[in-house]
Amino acid sequence: MTRRKNELQGAELDVIEKTLTSEILPFDKAMTIFIKDAKRKALREFTIKYYLRECNDFRNYLAREEHSLIINEVLRRHIDEFIEDMQQRRHLQTVTINTKLRAIRTLFNFLYDRKFISENPMQKYPLLKDRKANISTFSNKQLRQLFNAPNMRTFTGQRDYTFMLLLLDTGIRLNEAAGILVEDVKLSEGSLFIRNTKNHFHRYVPITAKTKAQLSRYLKLRGTCETDHLFVTIDETALTRAGLQKVIPKYGKLAGIKGVRCSAHTIRHTFAKLAIMNGAGIFEVQKILGHSSMEMVRVYVNLFSSEVAEKHKGFSPLNNFDF
């Protein structure tokens, strides 16, 4: 009789791994552990709220459909059914569904990596394929209408004009603008320090003479406040991200701008378009916009590069025909 080896190997280890590392974990407790870890990593408050919102949306779906709320019992088919529900009952757009899937994937990847679950239903789960929609931007006429809308004889008008000018000059994100402190404005250096970034990599962005002059005027009007934030309310409190988010829609409506979404992100797209059309290189655009990869920058180049249009004039097959 052959004596078996006492040390477990291969598939035998897989058998006990599931038993030793997994526990019965309710969805809510899993979320508490996940969010606690996110806070420990000092993720942005906006990011944490995003995880809470989207993961709890999935949790509420499971409860409504009377599926188990034990995180270990969530299966891949539950994800499939959740997607079908979002598409057929809620009629959500593909980009919205993918936003939710990214949050759920992050949750389950965390739980699997920390061995709270032995099976990961989101492992290699593909996002929905979405046709790249045309990126909307402001025309030069619409920009003039937008920037002429604030009442420059009021503090809020000067503040909002400064905010919009800063967005157009630098292409920074809304959340980045909300995090700017007075000390981040480097007028003598002609730059702006961006601390509240999406990828946690702080960066400096250049500002033009026109923006420097407007920032100088605004800082004199702003004066000294208890908050260090650059953009403040008339009560001298920090203007929140939600408050800044309302600025461009407000003036877009006042200016009667139609056919384009009036938002900070549209100004960001407009910055990218104008920068590329004016000859900015892809690495310059990537650095200023703070993209961690070249994917979005390539989209901008493909859409807005005037060089593509000029080259097309030379190689178009129609050049060889006289209709």
Side-chain angles (χ1 to χ4, degrees):
M1 181 183 234
T2 304
R3 190 181 189 194
R4 68 172 297 146
K5 292 182 180 179
N6 187 41
E7 186 176 344
L8 300 178
Q9 297 178 343
E12 295 172 324
L13 287 174
D14 288 338
V15 172
I16 67 163
E17 182 76 6
K18 294 180 181 180
T19 305
L20 294 177
T21 59
S22 298
E23 61 173 311
I24 302 300
L25 186 63
F27 198 109
D28 293 343
K29 184 177 178 182
M31 281 298 298
T32 299
I33 296 170
F34 174 58
I35 295 301
K36 185 177 180 180
D37 181 77
K39 290 179 178 179
R40 182 184 62 79
K41 292 175 180 173
L43 297 187
R44 296 179 304 158
E45 183 182 352
F46 180 71
T47 302
I48 292 173
K49 287 181 178 178
Y50 155 66
Y51 287 142
L52 280 168
R53 181 180 65 249
E54 306 304 355
C55 291
N56 280 327
D57 186 45
F58 179 52
R59 182 241 186 241
N60 293 337
Y61 163 78
L62 293 173
R64 178 168 57 81
E65 295 298 316
E66 299 184 352
H67 292 313
S68 173
L69 289 180
I70 302 300
I71 204 77
N72 315 66
E73 297 177 2
V74 175
L75 304 175
R76 200 173 181 88
R77 67 176 177 84
H78 296 138
I79 310 294
D80 295 336
E81 293 167 0
F82 179 52
I83 292 175
E84 289 177 9
D85 181 80
M86 290 189 287
Q87 290 174 323
Q88 298 173 14
R89 186 182 68 86
R90 298 168 66 180
H91 304 293
L92 299 183
Q93 295 183 354
T94 299
V95 64
T96 303
I97 295 174
N98 283 338
T99 297
K100 294 179 183 295
L101 289 178
R102 287 188 182 96
I104 298 167
R105 182 173 61 189
T106 304
L107 168 65
F108 279 97
N109 285 348
F110 165 79
L111 296 172
Y112 182 74
D113 291 342
R114 297 298 181 88
K115 299 187 183 300
F116 287 107
I117 56 176
S118 58
E119 302 286 343
N120 183 358
M122 288 297 294
Q123 188 170 22
K124 295 183 179 179
Y125 199 98
L127 297 178
L128 302 186
K129 291 187 177 180
D130 187 23
R131 287 187 180 222
K132 293 289 184 184
N134 186 36
I135 295 176
S136 62
T137 59
F138 290 114
S139 66
N140 290 343
K141 178 182 178 181
Q142 289 170 332
L143 284 175
R144 284 192 290 271
Q145 291 172 321
L146 189 65
F147 280 82
N148 286 333
N151 182 353
M152 301 296 278
R153 298 184 68 83
T154 65
F155 172 75
T156 54
Q158 286 285 338
R159 178 201 65 198
D160 296 346
Y161 178 83
T162 306
F163 165 64
M164 294 193 298
L165 196 67
L166 204 58
L167 292 186
L168 186 61
D169 195 23
T170 64
I172 60 176
R173 300 177 176 92
L174 176 65
N175 205 56
E176 293 173 339
I180 298 174
L181 306 182
V182 172
E183 67 186 64
D184 298 334
V185 180
K186 315 293 184 183
L187 291 179
S188 59
E189 300 168 17
S191 65
L192 196 67
F193 178 63
I194 306 299
R195 63 177 68 237
N196 202 25
T197 61
K198 185 176 181 179
N199 53 19
H200 291 277
F201 291 112
H202 300 162
R203 69 186 191 278
Y204 284 93
V205 296
I207 53 177
T208 59
K210 184 173 183 177
T211 301
K212 283 171 57 178
Q214 180 57 33
L215 275 168
S216 180
R217 281 190 291 269
Y218 168 70
L219 286 169
K220 290 176 183 177
L221 295 172
R222 178 192 179 281
T224 304
C225 304
E226 288 188 11
T227 179
D228 293 330
H229 281 79
L230 175 63
F231 296 111
V232 296
T233 68
I234 55 176
D235 297 318
E236 301 190 348
T237 59
L239 189 59
T240 63
R241 180 187 186 280
L244 285 172
Q245 193 172 26
K246 297 175 183 176
V247 170
I248 297 166
K250 169 187 172 182
Y251 292 114
K253 186 176 181 180
L254 280 174
I257 296 174
K258 306 288 185 183
V260 64
R261 182 186 176 203
C262 293
S263 70
H265 215 65
T266 302
I267 290 189
R268 180 171 164 85
H269 290 325
T270 304
F271 164 85
K273 177 183 76 171
L274 296 177
I276 289 167
M277 290 179 68
N278 289 334
I282 58 173
F283 294 108
E284 295 168 307
V285 174
Q286 181 193 21
K287 185 175 181 180
I288 294 174
L289 289 177
H291 284 299
S292 56
S293 73
M294 296 297 292
E295 181 182 357
M296 192 61 205
V297 182
R298 289 192 184 98
V299 172
Y300 287 138
V301 171
N302 288 337
L303 282 173
F304 305 129
S305 176
S306 57
E307 184 180 349
V308 173
E310 288 302 315
K311 286 183 177 179
H312 177 260
K313 293 177 183 177
F315 65 63
S316 173
L318 295 183
N319 292 336
N320 299 321
F321 293 93
D322 184 15
F323 293 112

